[in-house]
Amino acid sequence: MAAFILSLSTAILADETFPVLHSGVEILKRDMRDTLTEAGEQNVIRVVLDKSVGEERYKAEVTPQEILLTCGDDLGAMYALLSVSERALGIHPLDW
């Protein structure tokens, strides 16, 4: 089975009307620009809020075309986006 490949072509889809989500998306985009060098196939990181997941929690489902981050609230979404940055790009959440 093929893996999700993060590249400069990866789109991030989230409801950025939430200030925390907007900040998380901007952080991940910055980290991608700072570490990635090539474009690849079009794929997406999608952030969805679903209170049933629980406060400050998230779950991730990964396919070659999409990482679906289902988050209990905006802080859960921030944790999820920072986790992608740490796991996929090697950037620790507190590295500025």
Side-chain angles (χ1 to χ4, degrees):
M1 177 181 213
F4 183 93
I5 299 174
L6 192 62
S7 75
L8 294 173
S9 300
T10 300
I12 305 169
L13 304 178
D15 182 354
E16 293 187 57
T17 60
F18 292 92
V20 172
L21 261 71
H22 176 76
S23 295
V25 167
E26 289 304 310
I27 289 168
L28 181 53
K29 284 180 180 178
R30 178 204 61 208
D31 292 348
M32 289 169 60
R33 283 190 307 269
D34 289 351
T35 58
L36 300 173
T37 59
E38 295 184 24
E41 291 185 35
Q42 292 288 325
N43 55 16
V44 64
I45 298 170
R46 185 180 317 276
V47 180
V48 176
L49 297 181
D50 179 350
K51 292 183 185 222
S52 70
V53 174
E55 290 183 0
E56 299 183 22
R57 295 180 172 266
Y58 69 91
K59 65 179 183 176
E61 297 174 52
V62 182
T63 68
Q65 298 80 29
E66 178 180 64
I67 296 177
L68 174 61
L69 301 171
T70 305
C71 310
D73 58 11
D74 56 346
L75 288 177
M78 175 62 90
Y79 299 146
L81 291 165
L82 291 175
S83 177
V84 171
S85 186
E86 182 174 26
R87 292 172 185 237
L89 302 173
I91 300 193
H92 190 275
L94 298 179
D95 285 350
W96 292 307

